[in-house]
Amino acid sequence: AQSVTQLDSHVSVSEGTPVLLRCNYSSSYSPSLFWYVQHPNKGLQLLLKYTSAATLVKGINGFEAEFKKSETSFHLTKPSAHMSDAAEYFCVVSDLSNAGNMLTFGGGTRLMVKP
Amino acid sequence: EAGVVQSPRYKIIEKKQPVAFWCNPISGHNTLYWYRQNLGQGPELLIRYENEEAVDDSQLPKDRFSAERLKGVDSTLKIQPAELGDSAVYLCASSSDREGRNIQYFGAGTRLSVL
């Protein structure tokens, strides 16, 4: 079985300061991990993915995430927040425990960016 | 390349009325998914199609929900009759075997409000 816990439902930062969105996962197999972003009234957009290659993954818009197996974590970071980063972020896990590579979403973290 | 297209974007109906959602996946994507996203939560899978065959519908409430994917391209999801608890965003996604099923592309969703 697989599951994802996003530790913060809301995160507020000032523009230009670092962003940290926390995610812990549980998986019976070697997982694939993803971060998606959802802007208001828009579809989910893939930010980045980890699929057992380099543990530090770089994504779009300056975001990156580090896979830490010992901590079962996959936190999302960005050095400097922009106003346009305000959105809902979802951490997602997928493993081989099901034939369909089903995606299991976390509950989401709403990122607010203050001017 | 066009993304996943869903319509309508918004739908408001009274309870006990029927409603249908339409999805056109990315061209060449053989796997299609319907998700439901309740307010403040991550999406949850309702049904997955491989071409025209529904291969995972275990989370679809079959007493009132139905789906079809004739010819293995477009898909419709229907609710009849709708209940107040069906208010949610219904997301469609698609994936290709070439990229892998866990790389899913999402549409903007249909926001359903049942009054």
Side-chain angles (χ1 to χ4, degrees), chain A residues 11-19 79-83 111-115:
Chain A
V11 170
S12 181
V13 301
S14 296
E15 190 175 23
T17 64
V19 175
S80 176
H82 295 161
M83 295 297 292
L111 176 64
M112 294 168 283
V113 182
K114 298 176 290 187

Side-chain angles (χ1 to χ4, degrees), chain B residues 87-104:
Chain B
S87 295
V89 176
Y90 291 84
L91 295 166
C92 180
S94 67
S95 66
S96 67
D97 287 344
R98 178 178 58 82
E99 275 193 287
R101 293 193 187 114
N102 56 17
I103 306 298
Q104 297 180 17

Side-chain angles (χ1 to χ4, degrees), chain B residues 27-109:
Chain B
S27 177
H29 282 195
N30 56 308
T31 307
L32 183 147
Y33 313 79
W34 282 102
Y35 289 84
R36 177 167 60 188
Q37 184 177 18
N38 292 314
L39 187 64
Q41 299 181 20
E44 295 180 328
L45 182 69
L46 290 174
I47 188 169
R48 173 172 64 94
Y49 279 92
E50 295 291 343
N51 300 303
E52 65 273 12
E53 182 181 359
V55 295
D56 183 359
D57 63 355
S58 58
Q59 300 305 311
L60 191 71
K62 298 181 184 59
D63 56 335
R64 297 182 300 107
F65 285 65
S66 64
E68 61 182 12
R69 192 186 183 197
L70 300 176
K71 302 181 181 179
V73 181
D74 295 2
S75 177
T76 58
L77 177 69
K78 298 178 182 177
I79 307 175
Q80 183 171 9
E83 297 179 352
L84 295 176
D86 296 331
S87 295
V89 176
Y90 291 84
L91 295 166
C92 180
S94 67
S95 66
S96 67
D97 287 344
R98 178 178 58 82
E99 275 193 287
R101 293 193 187 114
N102 56 17
I103 306 298
Q104 297 180 17
Y105 296 84
F106 286 81

Side-chain angles (χ1 to χ4, degrees), chain A residues 37-39 41-45, chain B residues 3-7 9 22-26 33-35 37 89-94 104-110:
Chain A
V37 61
Q38 187 175 37
H39 287 93
N41 300 316
K42 297 284 184 65
L44 288 154
Q45 181 184 17
Chain B
V4 176
V5 179
Q6 291 187 246
S7 69
R9 289 295 313 277
W22 175 81
C23 173
N24 180 241
I26 292 173
Y33 313 79
W34 282 102
Y35 289 84
Q37 184 177 18
V89 176
Y90 291 84
L91 295 166
C92 180
S94 67
Q104 297 180 17
Y105 296 84
F106 286 81
T110 297

